[in-house]
Amino acid sequence: MKFIDKVTNYYKEHGAKGVAWRVMEKLTGIRPGAISYSKWIAQNTPDERELARQGDEQFPYMPVFSIVVPLFRTKAAYLGELIESVRSQSYGAWELCLSDGSGEDSPLTGILEEYCRMDGRIRVVRAEKPLGISENTNAAIWMARGDYLVFADHDDILAPDALYECAHRIYEDGVYDVLYSDEDKISMDGKKRFDPQFKTDFNPDLLRSMNYICHLLVVRREFACQVGFLDGSYDGAQDYDFILRCAESTEKIAHIPKVLYHWRCHGDSTAVNQESKLYAFEAGRRALQAHLDRLGIRGEVSRGEYLGLYRTRYFVKDEPLVSILIPNKDHREDLERCISSLHQKSLYRNYEILIIENNSERQETFALYEELMRADERVKVVTYQGSFNYSAINNFGASHALGEYFLFLNNDTEMISEESIGEMLELCSRENTGAVGARLYYGDGTVQHAGVVIGLGGIAGHAFSGERRSATGYCRRIICTQDMSAVTAACMMMKRQDFEELGGFDESLEVTFNDVDLCLRVREMGKWVVYTPYAQFYHYESKSRGNEDTTEKVERFHGEIRRFLDKWSSFLEKGDPFYSPNLTRMRPDFSLRDKTLEPHIGVPEIYKDI
């Protein structure tokens, strides 16, 4: 029982930050650390035997891939490496469509003629005058005859299994309109790989924050013809505009969580020196604004905190009433600070505050209630008389609320950003959004919550917990609006209609996992759960309920684990679609997964016998 007590208390104290990691440390004496990317490559790169097996494999449907590449006075060595990376593919059904937009007296004529003689799958079109990037790429697309277009830059490299993995995914799941993979960067001499970008499955809100898809991009050719090719008015961000138009027209989008593309870095590349192409980021902003306009979404796009990031603001019709639901038992100082921050800081004013009183014992608590209600008529108190059950308390409060939107808020929170409620409302008001969560900090200013990852720390944990306040996170994800599987109900907004349709919180989950369960049910109904970094609160993780330090509490905790796993174990086994299987589940820092320590994704062994 002592061991279980420690596991349970660690969960309570750290918000599911790493239960499985802590147990492994205690059992083995080994503290798992982040592995280097070179070690990760060694664990995950197919060897010659595997590539040979891929080359022999025959699928019932063998799609032909047309790799389309715009060339412009490309350095011969880089062009040669690109072409050889295509010719070395383990999957052989491809053609390489090269458009030389260098203009007359192109220095590439000789090398291109030589490669065409060497391999009949290589085809070239030449322009008499220099071409812009979109026009040049379109010229390559026009001569493509394959089933799928594969977009590549003239100095980059495809992984040898790139086309095989695309064909295999199509064979497994059926025809897709769009596929994309993970990627990394490669040094100028082609000898060092670094900075891997392990992506989420399709994530429309992250796509509206940045072009996270980038490379490798594969699009069904007939679909591309319907969408339209690259638009020269967005040169510099022509791929972003194209991806956005694709995303508007299909839901058949697949992410392959493997590094299939190596992006070569040099001083003028946006992969390294972002300021070298400032015009590209402005073109990206215009492309994103055009995307909203085409969809009839009333919103405005501005640049984000860093070049290449964008912030989309959505216009909310009227000013709907937001009901802020705050459960409370005593802890006058926490509650007073929480409500004072709402009154003093929030720019959004059309709200009511429902304090859900639950078994307070101190007279000063009830005196505070009277003070708060006298000071502001928007504050009300309703009394839940049962024992503590977070789900039941909030369901009770919701039944007394008048608002069109509910903001579930812990009493130990304090608003930081004055636009927090308005920001959450902007996102929540969209028809396809079911829940919105905020960026939360501990009292010392470190990150407490930037979304919830299913499987992190065993069952579910907070992304980036413990990171310093100035951190931007892996691939800037702390500071980007994005879709996630869940957010914490310590600060979560939902439409009343959606909350009621789902039946509210599951009251059999009295303390833990009730918010995760509710968010997963939101996803089941086909709506998005969104994390926004622009709504910011302190979350002091209050002392109000204490640790799981009694036999009764431990048994309750284990019972809730069992109930959650009975319901969602298949989701855990598949893995969180918004968190890469290439990243660790032992820590919340998005470091690389070491297969020697984490051989499988799914329910940890320590929970299977509970």
Side-chain angles (χ1 to χ4, degrees), residues 217-413:
L217 176 64
V218 181
V219 180
R220 189 168 60 84
R221 184 169 62 87
E222 290 185 3
F223 174 71
C225 292
Q226 297 168 12
V227 169
F229 298 159
L230 305 190
D231 186 340
S233 64
Y234 297 106
D235 272 1
Q238 71 288 336
D239 52 347
Y240 192 25
D241 167 68
F242 179 67
I243 290 168
L244 288 167
R245 286 188 282 119
C246 289
E248 295 164 21
S249 305
T250 185
E251 295 181 353
K252 296 180 179 179
I253 302 175
H255 165 227
I256 301 172
K258 294 177 180 290
V259 177
L260 304 182
Y261 193 94
H262 311 305
W263 188 357
R264 195 186 301 272
C265 291
H266 51 81
D268 290 330
S269 170
T270 51
V272 172
N273 181 13
Q274 291 191 323
E275 293 186 0
S276 69
K277 293 185 178 179
L278 288 173
Y279 74 93
F281 302 115
E282 173 56 22
R285 188 200 65 77
R286 290 191 293 108
L288 185 51
Q289 185 66 58
H291 161 72
L292 297 181
D293 295 343
R294 285 191 299 270
L295 293 175
I297 297 174
R298 298 177 65 246
E300 184 176 8
V301 179
S302 60
R303 291 189 186 182
E305 189 173 338
Y306 292 90
L307 292 173
L309 304 184
Y310 303 98
R311 181 178 183 183
T312 302
R313 301 300 304 266
Y314 300 90
F315 302 142
V316 179
K317 184 179 180 181
D318 303 322
E319 287 192 353
L321 179 65
V322 176
S323 295
I324 303 174
L325 308 176
I326 307 176
N328 187 68
K329 176 184 178 182
D330 292 318
H331 288 269
R332 173 185 175 124
E333 290 183 3
D334 284 341
L335 181 64
E336 189 171 18
R337 180 180 56 218
C338 174
I339 292 179
S340 176
S341 71
L342 296 172
H343 287 331
Q344 293 177 14
K345 295 181 181 179
S346 179
L347 293 177
Y348 192 86
R349 307 306 294 176
N350 191 22
Y351 61 79
E352 65 170 357
I353 297 175
L354 269 71
I355 301 169
I356 312 167
E357 154 61 27
N358 178 225
N359 298 326
S360 292
E361 300 172 353
R362 299 175 183 173
Q363 185 56 42
E364 64 181 25
T365 303
F366 297 97
L368 175 63
Y369 294 161
E370 294 297 328
E371 292 174 19
L372 292 171
M373 288 189 288
R374 280 197 303 269
D376 195 312
E377 62 181 8
R378 294 174 296 180
V379 179
K380 304 173 185 177
V381 177
V382 295
T383 302
Y384 178 82
Q385 296 182 337
S387 60
F388 179 74
N389 179 320
Y390 180 87
S391 298
I393 290 170
N394 276 292
N395 289 344
F396 175 80
S399 70
H400 288 78
L402 302 176
E404 187 178 343
Y405 293 84
F406 296 155
L407 174 58
F408 299 99
L409 193 64
N410 278 18
N411 64 353
D412 57 344
T413 58

Side-chain angles (χ1 to χ4, degrees), residues 11 16-22 453-461 513 561 564-565 572-573 585-587 598 601-607:
Y11 178 89
K17 190 177 179 181
V19 174
W21 164 74
R22 184 64 70 185
V453 175
I454 309 303
L456 184 61
I459 294 181
F513 311 123
I561 289 176
F564 186 87
L565 291 180
L572 269 76
E573 290 295 343
R585 279 151 178 75
M586 294 181 177
R587 295 170 303 280
E598 298 178 74
I601 301 296
V603 180
E605 292 294 329
I606 61 170
Y607 292 126

Side-chain angles (χ1 to χ4, degrees), residues 410-439:
N410 278 18
N411 64 353
D412 57 344
T413 58
E414 178 183 0
M415 180 182 286
I416 298 172
S417 171
E418 60 187 11
E419 59 188 10
S420 294
I421 295 178
E423 168 69 19
M424 297 177 79
L425 182 61
E426 287 180 24
L427 292 162
C428 198
S429 65
R430 302 179 308 178
E431 184 178 351
N432 62 354
T433 300
V436 179
R439 178 164 31 164

Side-chain angles (χ1 to χ4, degrees), residues 66 91 123 198 244 296 331 365 492 553:
S66 297
Y91 182 87
R123 305 167 62 214
F198 293 119
L244 288 167
H331 288 269
T365 303
M492 180 178 73
K553 288 182 178 180

